[in-house]
Amino acid sequence: MLVFLKRPVLVTAEINLNLVALTVVALLSRLWRLSYPRAVVFDEVYYGQFVSLYMKQIFFVDGSGPPLGHMLLAFGGYLGGFDGNFLWNRIGAENSLITQSRLMLLESLLIFFNLLAVLSYLKFSNSQKYSSFSVNWWVWLILTGVSCSCAVGIKYMGLFTYILLLTIASVHAWHLIGDQALSNARVLCHLLARGVALLVVPVITYLSFFYIHLMVLYRSGPHDQIMSSAFQASLEGGLARITQGQPLEVAYGSQITLRNVLGKPMPCWLHSHKNTYPIRYENGRGSSHQQQVTCYPFKDVNNWWIVKDPGRHQLVVTNPPRPVRHGDIVQLVHGITTRFLNTHDVAAPLSPHSQEISCYIDYNISMPAQNLWRVDIVNRESDSDIWKTILSEVRFVHVNTSAVLKLSGALLPDWGYRQLEIIGEKLSKGYHQSMVWNVEEHRYGKSQEQKERELELHSPTQIDISKNLSFMARFTELQWKMLTLRSEETEHKYSSSPLEWLTLETNIAYWLHPRTSAQIHLLGNALTWSSANIATLAYVLLFFWYLLRRRRNVCDIPEDSWSLWVLAGTVCCGGWAVNYLPFFMMEKTLFLYHYLPALTFQIILLPVVLQHVSEHLCRSQLQKNIFNSLIVVWFFSVYMVYHTFSPITYGDQSLSANELKALRWKSSWDILIRKH
């Protein structure tokens, strides 16, 4: 033992000086005067607000993507001591990669995890040749899946790289299946390992992001209204304060408000008021002149309805309460006007192919009341299910005509106070959320007198709706809202098309100093941009040239070099294509920063092409020396372009009008020049 302790302990390490140098340069270029400017820059106004909401644990929904990116920004703010108390509204009116990475935006995080996923898979693929199922093999394989999940968890654009890697992994797996040196059991283990690491692990990781998101954001917030009543009731404050203590089971005599499940074009509640439909509409069609029924997007006393048993006159809940079940026939009485919800063979005001919904007024004419409705619980577990507050999603089917109570979404004219139209639509197979309603507010009616009924409140045994809403139910609803939530797409001054990105025809002015000409732009290094395009074109031409010659049994490069050449092209050109081409099919406002993930793959292809030219196309030492000299000149030129545009990359210098005009290398670039 003592002899062992006397022996010297030797530690060896291999240091890649090129990698160290690149890392140092990258850090210096991004951290230089990072605290400047002391203002909110471009989309930081949105992401900053989300970070503040995380700090205060207030729920929000961002339709642009999953929550991981916001959580990472919030975690950085937490480490920096940020408490969320800052008004993110003091916004001012490669270089592009540097600009984006210095600001509180998501593209840099997305690019990091995209590249980490690619690196991990390549490391895994290399270890496959020498040490299958070793610790390193498993680490790189699982890290690939986790990185892909993180990329998707930051922005849905991460799916593009994930799909690329799944495709490459599928091709490799197909080759494994055909490897006769492997036993069937060994092949099965390989396939199972890849399935778990690249499919199961990413799904579990992705779900964990939402679990943390929902666990942290447990307080009611500004976006509650777009969520279902059950989701809102699971949050602290807001609707939960109103619904806490409500009866769970809807009974005959219950006083309820009915919220449409669709929530589009805006959340609204079944509503009526004393005004009637016009005798004749502007187009000449007639109406029933009955009391209007609408969907109203605000809390109001006229949103209250009473569930009545058609066989009894009472409008109160008996003791014990008689719950309403799936398939029961009910009448819905408007709480304030005491008129019955009704429909008949009269065309709706804005939807002439559907029936008008009204509250019945007896004009002593040949139009009898038709006010019986069948309760159809859509999400029932059995045909004897009880109608429950918040949890049950219900359709109301008219007994006489089989029409279903539905929100059409059309906006009524001034006579309808610009509220939303309610119609009766003939029952068809399947259902749409516009036909589905849930009870949001609920109390048991106690008073038969109308005046007392309007004032009464009831607080029975307390229930906790949140315990009835599982994590998977909340995740599914939130994920669906994120996928379907669409903000109004408007033309932006700096929006652009994918074709403009290729040749850097556009830029984005991120920030302008309120008094001087100092400004920050998202503008790429023109030389790097064009070099990346040339490298991509050169790769494609060389690839097809080699492919054609190999078809004629002419191998210009060794087999190992050819395999590496194909793999590099698959990753880099494939990465560029899957992160760029889908934007041609997207109907949304696009910006230059959407191209940055694709550009990154092009830039990675640059050294691959340069090394290939040096090793395989430069035949003599003289040619190699000349080529290496050109590369040095190219590096210097890239630096000079970076240095030239650094004032509008960092925004730390106030340039004169002439200096700013000199930076406008293309007429399409919008460099801001103050007019004094």
Side-chain angles (χ1 to χ4, degrees), residues 97-98 216 296 300 539 554 623:
L97 292 173
I98 292 173
V216 173
Y296 189 52
D300 188 84
Y539 177 88
V554 178
Q623 290 176 335

Side-chain angles (χ1 to χ4, degrees), residues 182-469:
L182 298 175
S183 65
N184 291 341
R186 189 79 169 176
V187 170
L188 181 61
C189 289
H190 273 288
L191 296 179
L192 286 176
R194 285 161 173 77
V196 169
L198 300 181
L199 296 175
V200 178
V201 169
V203 170
I204 294 174
T205 306
Y206 186 77
L207 287 173
S208 70
F209 301 151
F210 280 85
Y211 184 84
I212 297 170
H213 177 76
L214 292 170
M215 181 178 65
V216 173
L217 306 183
Y218 64 89
R219 294 191 176 117
S220 174
H223 299 159
D224 290 8
Q225 290 297 318
I226 67 174
M227 307 304 293
S228 69
S229 300
F231 195 105
Q232 292 181 55
S234 70
L235 300 172
E236 182 182 289
L239 181 63
R241 289 183 296 180
I242 300 173
T243 59
Q244 195 172 40
Q246 290 186 157
L248 177 60
E249 297 179 350
V250 177
Y252 292 107
S254 286
Q255 299 172 0
I256 61 174
T257 63
L258 290 165
R259 184 181 191 264
N260 190 264
V261 170
L262 180 63
K264 293 179 181 178
M266 60 192 76
C268 63
W269 292 261
L270 190 66
H271 176 94
S272 186
H273 39 246
K274 293 182 179 179
N275 301 70
T276 59
Y277 290 109
I279 296 177
R280 290 205 174 275
Y281 301 122
E282 293 179 355
N283 59 10
R285 287 193 300 110
S287 78
S288 66
H289 198 45
Q290 300 281 335
Q291 182 172 302
Q292 296 175 18
V293 173
T294 65
C295 207
Y296 189 52
F298 302 99
K299 303 281 188 180
D300 188 84
V301 69
N302 280 312
N303 297 347
W304 284 92
W305 300 81
I306 302 170
V307 182
K308 180 181 177 298
D309 183 347
R312 301 190 182 188
H313 293 292
Q314 294 93 338
L315 295 178
V316 297
V317 176
T318 59
N319 190 14
R322 293 187 301 123
V324 180
R325 298 179 183 273
H326 169 73
D328 284 353
I329 306 299
V330 301
Q331 293 172 310
L332 292 176
V333 183
H334 187 240
I336 297 299
T337 63
T338 66
R339 292 196 169 113
F340 290 71
L341 187 71
N342 186 83
T343 189
H344 33 232
D345 191 19
V346 176
L350 302 181
S351 306
H353 298 293
S354 301
Q355 292 178 191
E356 173 194 273
I357 300 291
S358 63
C359 278
Y360 183 75
I361 303 175
D362 189 359
Y363 289 120
N364 198 23
I365 57 176
S366 57
M367 184 180 285
Q370 296 182 3
N371 52 34
L372 299 179
W373 300 85
R374 187 177 76 250
V375 176
D376 179 18
I377 302 176
V378 175
N379 60 341
R380 64 186 181 276
E381 295 181 358
S382 70
D383 287 343
S384 61
D385 266 15
I386 294 174
W387 184 7
K388 294 184 178 65
T389 305
I390 292 179
L391 302 177
S392 294
E393 296 184 348
V394 176
R395 288 190 308 176
F396 296 98
V397 183
H398 192 239
V399 172
N400 299 77
T401 65
S402 297
V404 181
L405 189 69
K406 178 182 178 180
L407 168 68
S408 78
L411 211 61
L412 294 169
D414 290 340
W415 55 256
Y417 301 100
R418 314 297 293 178
Q419 295 173 20
L420 299 174
E421 181 191 40
I422 294 293
I423 61 174
E425 184 157 292
K426 291 293 185 180
L427 185 61
S428 58
K429 292 182 179 180
Y431 71 95
H432 189 264
Q433 284 186 320
S434 57
M435 300 178 178
V436 182
W437 305 81
N438 70 266
V439 173
E440 188 169 271
E441 297 178 62
H442 178 208
R443 57 176 175 256
Y444 282 162
K446 289 291 184 179
S447 175
Q448 190 68 25
E449 296 297 325
Q450 176 63 12
K451 289 185 179 179
E452 295 179 10
R453 187 186 305 124
E454 292 177 14
L455 301 174
E456 71 179 348
L457 294 171
H458 183 67
S459 300
T461 304
Q462 193 174 44
I463 61 166
D464 187 357
I465 297 294
S466 64
K467 292 181 180 177
N468 295 294
L469 198 64

Side-chain angles (χ1 to χ4, degrees), residues 55 74-85:
M55 295 298 106
F75 182 64
Y78 172 78
L79 293 178
F82 178 57
D83 60 2
N85 294 315

Side-chain angles (χ1 to χ4, degrees), residues 43-58 60-64 70-71 73-74 82 88 104 106 217 222-223:
D43 280 352
E44 283 187 333
V45 68
Y46 303 113
Y47 298 124
Q49 290 172 357
F50 296 149
V51 170
S52 292
L53 292 173
Y54 268 114
M55 295 298 106
K56 298 175 181 178
Q57 298 182 292
I58 294 175
F60 68 89
V61 178
D62 177 22
S64 68
H70 307 107
M71 288 195 293
L73 294 178
F82 178 57
W88 295 91
M104 193 167 59
L106 299 183
L217 306 183
H223 299 159

Side-chain angles (χ1 to χ4, degrees), residues 491-503:
E491 272 302 313
H492 192 282
K493 180 180 179 181
Y494 293 106
S495 62
S496 53
S497 69
L499 281 177
E500 293 177 300
W501 303 342
L502 274 178
T503 52

Side-chain angles (χ1 to χ4, degrees), residues 478-492:
L478 179 56
Q479 179 66 88
W480 180 249
K481 288 292 182 184
M482 287 180 172
L483 291 172
T484 57
L485 186 65
R486 289 289 179 269
S487 57
E488 294 185 7
E489 294 291 343
T490 57
E491 272 302 313
H492 192 282

